[in-house]
Amino acid sequence: MQSETQSLEHYWMPFTANRQFKSKPRMLAEAQGMYYKDTNGRPVLDGTAGLWCCNAGHGRKEISQAVSRQIHQMDYAPSFQMGHPLAFELAERLAQISPEGLNKVFFTNSGSESVDSALKIAINYHRARGESTRTRFIGRELGYHGVGFGGISVGGIGGNRKTFSQQLLPGVDHLPHTLDMQGNAFSRGMPKTGAEKADVLEQLVALHGAENIAAVIVEPMSGSAGVILPPEGYLQRLREITKKHGILLIFDEVITGFGRVGDAFASQRWGVTPDMITTAKALNNGAIPMGAVLIDDAIYDASMQGPDGIELFHGYTYSGHPVAAAAAIASLDIYQNEQLFERSRELEGYFEEAVHSLKGLPNIIDIRNIGLVGGIQFSPSEEGVGKRGFGIFEHCFANGTLVRATADIIAISPPLIIDKQQIDQIVNTLGDAIRAVG
Ligand SMILES: Cc1ncc(COP(=O)(O)O)c(C=O)c1O
């Protein structure tokens, strides 16, 4: 229970309307399976896997026991010039489920750190090959790549950049986003049209010269901006153009990794292999902060050619943390034993029907889905952008279901252990909320 006298004053909450929250807090205290309990003991169905993290559901004993064993055996080991077996074991396990060729792993503690690490690894790789003019990055409008200065520079969400606009990385361009509400609203799965938006990359190459461009980074499916799917053929085109010009392609799979879209990675679902994949979130089911960059062998091998010594001047005190690694290995075991990546694909059809059944309710202007992700977009209310989305989120929470609102888009991304009845419960609560908020 939250004590009556507990102060809320001292914690500056991230990406939160602090004053609004503190005037009407929503506090979670326990979690088991598909459900949270709030501080009053009220169950709340988890429609968001926490924050896209808990793909195996909550309270998994296999994970907590692995964490407990490891923290007793060895709480921490230095990560620079020292190693411990679990980090190597986890790297090997990740290589086994990665797309072909991505067999090297660099550990971080978050998605933001994975992104900044991947950008640095890209520059380091080109320098190692004598192409040190390749320093520019290309991101995409509406992309979310975390909150480091690298991540917000290649990211394309205005609200996250504006305050810091004078301090962003130089030499960054953005491809156009792929959301086409006019042509593709209410698409199921990948939209049919829009692949040509990838061709803008050719224009940027013509403008700057391929010899100056290090990498293109995109989320294969944008999550944070509101579940924006790539049009059919779009990712293939990005791959062809980057390959043609010697530019690295980075997929930011912090959200799409570990089964969310019906395969281990979106890269495999859509048959496009990038040079690097950034991950975090569901890597260890959200149990302990951890991220990882999956890297093509060629990048690692090229970086090992210089004089003997440190090959990459980059790393984190907690890279490959033993307790986080133990949690990740236990999570990968669960994903594999319970075939959760496959389950996400098996449930996709049912989930798709359920979310699209909301079409026709007030103010819905688009519904998008893939795997176990759904996005429902509303026209903004007269009170301002985001008010309607937030109202629906609050209404759902008050009625026992957690969904996520970004502006006027509601995202659903439940744990992959969800069953059909629980899918119905989320969609029914959402339908009631949409009718009530209007
Ligand atoms: C695609 C993507 N990249 C990076 C991040 C940043 O991850 P973190 O919040 O762990 O730094 C996120 C977080 O939502 C994300 O969705």
Side-chain angles (χ1 to χ4, degrees):
M1 280 289 283
Q2 181 197 350
S3 93
E4 301 269 307
T5 55
Q6 181 174 42
S7 169
L8 303 182
E9 285 311 303
H10 302 286
Y11 175 24
W12 187 339
M13 299 173 70
F15 273 126
T16 297
N18 275 252
R19 288 160 294 177
Q20 185 189 50
F21 179 93
K22 289 171 187 180
S23 70
K24 202 174 153 196
R26 295 170 295 277
M27 298 282 216
L28 301 172
E30 290 175 46
Q32 194 60 48
M34 279 298 300
Y35 285 87
Y36 281 106
K37 271 189 188 164
D38 73 4
T39 40
N40 297 313
R42 191 178 61 100
V44 179
L45 180 60
D46 183 2
T48 58
L51 200 47
W52 315 83
C53 299
C54 312
N55 285 5
H58 298 279
R60 300 302 306 244
K61 290 274 173 305
E62 304 90 323
I63 301 174
S64 53
Q65 284 164 359
V67 163
S68 169
R69 264 197 313 275
Q70 183 54 42
I71 207 164
H72 280 101
Q73 184 181 326
M74 182 174 70
D75 46 6
Y76 174 77
S79 53
F80 304 163
Q81 306 288 19
M82 292 297 297
H84 65 87
L86 278 193
F88 290 91
E89 183 182 336
L90 176 58
E92 189 177 358
R93 290 288 301 273
L94 287 170
Q96 283 162 6
I97 61 165
S98 297
E100 214 185 318
L102 275 63
N103 293 313
K104 301 295 189 287
V105 181
F106 191 93
F107 287 114
T108 71
N109 307 289
S110 67
S112 301
E113 289 181 0
S114 291
V115 166
D116 279 15
S117 299
L119 298 178
K120 283 182 164 184
I121 289 169
I123 288 182
N124 190 67
Y125 161 76
H126 289 303
R127 279 179 77 97
R129 293 164 56 253
E131 293 198 57
S132 51
T133 56
R134 284 192 185 262
T135 55
R136 299 185 70 91
F137 295 120
I138 296 172
R140 188 172 60 195
E141 293 169 347
L142 295 182
Y144 182 68
H145 301 294
V147 292
F149 276 102
I152 59 170
S153 301
V154 293
I157 297 184
N160 295 346
R161 293 164 51 94
K162 285 177 194 163
T163 310
F164 313 103
S165 66
Q166 297 304 311
Q167 273 74 33
L168 300 179
L169 290 186
V172 176
D173 292 279
H174 292 81
L175 296 166
H177 66 73
T178 61
L179 184 61
D180 175 6
M181 302 274 290
Q182 231 114 59
N184 289 326
F186 300 99
S187 291
R188 292 170 177 234
M190 276 181 153
K192 295 269 178 285
T193 61
E196 71 287 350
K197 288 189 175 155
D199 296 342
V200 174
L201 183 53
E202 285 284 14
Q203 294 167 24
L204 291 172
V205 170
L207 190 65
H208 298 295
E211 69 279 14
N212 294 314
I213 303 175
V216 170
I217 179 166
V218 293
E219 301 161 271
M221 178 208 78
S222 294
S224 298
V227 187
I228 304 172
L229 283 137
E232 276 177 16
Y234 172 89
L235 295 173
Q236 279 82 357
R237 240 135 121 177
L238 276 189
R239 179 68 283 189
E240 282 158 23
I241 300 169
T242 47
K243 210 164 229 161
K244 181 167 115 193
H245 295 291
I247 298 167
L248 295 178
L249 179 62
I250 304 168
F251 279 177
D252 185 348
E253 297 226 32
V254 166
I255 273 178
T256 50
F258 306 102
R260 177 57 54 200
V261 299
D263 218 324
F265 296 96
S267 157
Q268 290 139 329
R269 174 80 200 253
W270 290 318
V272 179
T273 306
D275 301 292
M276 283 187 265
I277 290 179
T278 52
T279 73
K281 297 212 186 256
L283 167 56
N284 64 21
N285 209 41
I288 314 258
M290 184 177 226
V293 188
L294 314 177
I295 303 155
D296 192 284
D297 289 320
I299 295 176
Y300 179 86
D301 292 345
S303 309
M304 297 297 132
Q305 300 303 313
D308 211 11
I310 294 173
E311 296 94 356
L312 178 68
F313 281 84
H314 178 67
Y316 302 99
T317 297
Y318 304 111
S319 283
H321 192 286
V323 183
I329 292 167
S331 302
L332 294 181
D333 284 342
I334 296 175
Y335 295 151
Q336 193 176 346
N337 294 340
E338 299 182 10
Q339 306 223 307
L340 290 184
F341 304 159
E342 293 79 357
R343 184 179 169 80
S344 156
R345 181 88 74 105
E346 279 157 24
L347 283 172
E348 179 178 82
Y350 191 87
F351 183 81
E352 177 173 286
E353 284 304 322
V355 290
H356 281 271
S357 73
L358 295 168
K359 187 177 176 185
L361 291 187
N363 304 304
I364 295 185
I365 52 174
D366 193 8
I367 298 176
R368 308 182 277 272
N369 75 285
I370 189 77
L372 284 178
V373 196
I376 300 134
Q377 184 155 356
F378 300 86
S379 53
S381 77
E382 280 168 12
E383 289 168 70
V385 171
K387 296 281 186 218
R388 177 167 280 134
F390 193 77
I392 293 167
F393 154 75
E394 270 193 315
H395 196 281
C396 285
F397 185 71
N399 288 283
T401 297
L402 184 64
V403 298
R404 179 151 169 72
T406 36
D408 290 302
I409 302 166
I410 294 289
I412 324 173
S413 56
L416 311 180
I417 59 164
I418 194 168
D419 64 28
K420 291 181 176 171
Q421 217 184 332
Q422 290 158 338
I423 293 175
D424 293 344
Q425 193 182 330
I426 294 174
V427 171
N428 290 338
T429 311
L430 201 46
D432 291 344
I434 295 165
R435 283 184 212 94
V437 170

